[in-house]
Amino acid sequence: MKRSRSAASTRTSCVNSVEFRLVDRRVGEAGTAVFTESDVEAARICGLLRRFGVEPRNLRMTRSAVEREAAVIEQATAPALRSPHPERREQGERQVLDLGALISSLFQLLLLKDMRALVR
């Protein structure tokens, strides 16, 4: 019973998170919502954040920040990704992953710095 309650809770979190663009809404063949593993994990994290009083609506700025960073990555890698040469496109795909990892690391370091300032 606990597992089905957890699954229902996660599904509810997914549906609630769609409104604030934290997960994508896809419709399956039967007309029901379909969520990827990433969507389910994002919804699970939203559920955990809810325990601290952080609602999906409070995370809109996080989604906006991610979209801005993705735009930076797109701008930096667009020439390679649009290349007619397969090896250049592959290089662009690697650059997307590398830039994403670097930006994620920087974001985490900056967040940790600001969190330390909160507890001083």
Side-chain angles (χ1 to χ4, degrees), residues 39-93:
D39 291 337
V40 171
E41 181 63 8
R44 186 187 72 76
I45 292 168
C46 287
L48 294 172
L49 288 168
R50 192 175 242 153
R51 294 179 186 173
F52 293 93
V54 179
E55 298 290 327
R57 64 185 165 80
N58 303 122
L59 299 172
R60 277 189 264 201
M61 64 184 165
T62 302
R63 183 65 186 137
S64 294
V66 167
E67 289 171 350
R68 285 192 306 274
E69 297 308 325
V72 168
I73 293 169
E74 179 182 23
Q75 184 177 15
T77 59
L81 293 173
R82 293 184 186 136
S83 173
H85 305 289
E87 58 278 349
R88 181 72 174 120
R89 282 194 309 271
E90 287 178 21
Q91 181 185 18
E93 291 171 9

Side-chain angles (χ1 to χ4, degrees), residues 35 38 50 60 80 87 108 112:
F35 299 103
S38 295
R50 192 175 242 153
R60 277 189 264 201
E87 58 278 349
Q108 186 175 11
L112 287 171

